[in-house]
Structures are given as structure tokens and as C-alpha cells.
Amino acid sequence: MSLYMTDTANNTQNLPLGQKVQNFRKRAGISQLELETLIDAAPGSISRIENGKVNPNKETLLQIIKVLKLKDREAIDLMEVLPLHPTEEEIAAARAEAKPLLDNPDVLGYLIDENGTVHDVSAGFRKVLNISPEGFTRILGKPLLEVVIDPSYGLAQYLDFERTKRTLAIEMVRIWNEAPDLKFESEAVLNSQLFKEVMEITKTITEADVFSVQNKKAYFNLNGQKIRMDYSREKLKHNGRFEIIEYHNPTPYE
């Protein structure tokens, strides 16, 4: 009897994530191209997932589960093998994909993964925030909220926290939605008054708040001038566990 005519969840229990996706896809009688079209993924992305070259993000995996009409136990089996953190190979591929944009001196942004970990910062942002080569190296691989809140990173001085606390709370809720088991380990962050205030605000954040464009604003104090900037998020086309956060439309405020 064919593997795809039996209980696939039991037969694939110890297989890698990519192999499981392939088995479920073949059982459904769908080609890689058809699956990519149905979940609006980039060409070749399913091949890279099935070959273990990249891991899908949570959102992509949920779309795959929906399209392939997996049973509850099969969906749980698939989600449980999704690695919490991207591999070094995935990080390198994401940085290579984002490089043309982040090398642009006019771009103010950074590259993060679905857990809110920083993997690159644009040349423009490094200049505006006076991030030294040593400081840049220290930031890589650290949670964004830790980098922002912990004064030892040197970035806290550029943020108007009184106006940005709610934005930080929204970002924290968004990250927890993606990685509910993620915890902060920095004592400087956990013991800070700002972190405690942000934690209180998270209790009031709704799903609508997380997805509202109006809430995507940050307030900076740059060279003595108060600047508000909107920010946008864009997932990488070929490395869906990563996204670019880009700041734009600088506007003075009082």
C-alpha cells in the first residue's frame, strides 16, 4: 500500500519538516508550483522547504496546513517540528537577500526574524544612530526590544519612550503571537521600569491594534530634533521567516 494512502501523520513522525510537507503535498495530489500558487509563495519556495534549505515561517506553515486540508493531529505534528530559531544558513540567505536594500544609505531600517531578533541594520540607520562597528556586531542576534530598552546598547538615548511605549507593547504582543515561548533574559531589561510599564500596556493591546497601520509610529530625538517616523514591515520574498522594518516619512513634532 502506498504511504500516501495510510495514516501519514504516523508514518512521518520522525521525518524532517521539509519531508513531512512533501509527503502531505503528494498525498493531496498537488504539485510544488500549484501549492506555491495557492499560498501565494515565491517560485521555488516549496522546493527549498522540502529540501530543507529553508524553514517556513508560522504563517506560511498555517497556509500549507489549510490548503492541504490536514487533520488536527497532522497539523500539530507539522507545527511541532518548526524550529524556534532560524539556522545560520537561513540567516545568511536572508542577509544576502536584504543586502541591496540595507546597503542603500537612504534606507532607515533593519532585518529581523519572526522572533523579533535583529540580524542586520541598514547603513543609513547605523549612521543616523551613530552605531559603531563594534556596536553593530553586538546588536546582531539580540532581541530587538532588548536592544532598544537596554541603555548599554546606546540606542535608548535616541527614542522618546513616553510616546513610544505603546508601540513597544504592540510589537511585544506581535512577537508573542509568533513565538509564544520566547522570553527575555536580559536583567537590565527585565528590571527596568520601562519594561514593566510596557508589560502593563500589553494587557490592553487588541488584535486590531497589532494590525493597525495607524499604530506603526516611533518617536526619535535625533541631534536635538524631535522626529516622528512611520514604519512598515515587509517579509522577504525568498526567506519568509524574516522581514524588513523600514522607517519613513520623518515629521518634526513637539
Side-chain angles (χ1 to χ4, degrees):
M1 180 180 293
S2 167
L3 169 67
Y4 309 112
M5 297 298 291
T6 61
D7 189 337
T8 308
N10 290 333
N11 281 281
T12 65
Q13 187 172 10
N14 297 317
L15 294 177
L17 174 62
Q19 186 64 60
K20 291 188 179 191
V21 171
Q22 183 183 76
N23 288 347
F24 288 131
R25 175 182 61 76
K26 288 185 175 180
R27 184 186 67 180
I30 296 177
S31 70
Q32 291 180 341
L33 179 59
E34 288 173 320
L35 182 53
E36 288 165 355
T37 301
L38 289 169
I39 67 172
D40 193 27
S45 57
I46 297 301
S47 174
R48 290 192 291 274
I49 290 171
E50 292 184 353
N51 290 326
K53 294 181 179 179
V54 299
N55 288 307
N57 60 11
K58 180 180 176 183
E59 179 183 327
T60 298
L61 205 51
L62 288 173
Q63 288 178 303
I64 290 173
I65 288 168
K66 181 179 179 180
V67 168
L68 298 184
K69 299 179 180 179
L70 301 190
K71 300 173 184 177
D72 287 345
R73 68 177 182 277
E74 293 172 336
I76 291 172
D77 178 51
L78 205 57
M79 294 297 291
E80 283 183 344
V81 295
L82 179 65
L84 176 61
H85 300 290
T87 64
E88 290 300 321
E89 290 77 9
E90 288 179 294
I91 294 170
R95 293 188 71 183
E97 183 178 347
K99 189 176 188 302
L101 179 66
L102 296 182
D103 280 352
N104 186 332
D106 295 325
V107 169
L108 302 179
Y110 43 84
L111 175 70
I112 62 173
D113 64 26
E114 61 198 349
N115 300 311
T117 301
V118 181
H119 294 292
D120 210 340
V121 181
S122 72
F125 229 176
R126 278 182 269 166
K127 181 177 180 180
V128 168
L129 300 178
N130 296 312
I131 301 175
S132 67
E134 295 78 13
F136 172 61
T137 300
R138 185 174 174 230
I139 287 171
L140 298 182
K142 298 296 191 303
L144 175 63
L145 293 177
E146 175 182 323
V147 171
V148 170
I149 295 175
D150 187 339
S152 70
Y153 288 95
L155 303 184
Q157 61 181 312
Y158 298 109
L159 272 174
D160 182 340
F161 283 121
E162 199 55 42
R163 289 177 178 264
T164 308
K165 280 188 291 189
R166 192 166 187 275
T167 299
L168 294 176
I170 290 172
E171 288 303 305
M172 190 173 292
V173 171
R174 187 193 64 78
I175 292 170
W176 278 337
N177 285 341
E178 292 284 345
D181 296 328
L182 195 67
K183 294 180 174 60
F184 294 98
E185 299 178 356
S186 168
E187 292 296 327
V189 172
L190 295 174
N191 295 328
S192 72
Q193 182 61 32
L194 174 61
F195 181 77
K196 294 173 183 176
E197 292 176 11
V198 169
M199 286 292 292
E200 282 299 312
I201 297 173
T202 61
K203 299 175 184 178
T204 70
I205 301 302
T206 66
E207 184 176 355
D209 291 328
V210 174
F211 292 102
S212 172
V213 175
Q214 297 300 320
N215 289 325
K216 291 181 171 59
K217 301 181 186 299
Y219 296 81
F220 296 86
N221 189 340
L222 302 174
N223 299 319
Q225 186 176 11
K226 294 182 177 180
I227 300 291
R228 186 199 76 199
M229 284 194 277
D230 304 325
Y231 65 90
S232 60
R233 328 182 67 91
E234 183 174 356
K235 288 189 180 297
L236 297 187
K237 185 175 182 180
H238 299 293
N239 296 277
R241 300 190 74 179
F242 301 81
E243 60 186 354
I244 296 286
I245 311 298
E246 184 176 355
Y247 292 79
H248 48 85
N249 191 30
T251 306
Y253 74 94
E254 294 298 328

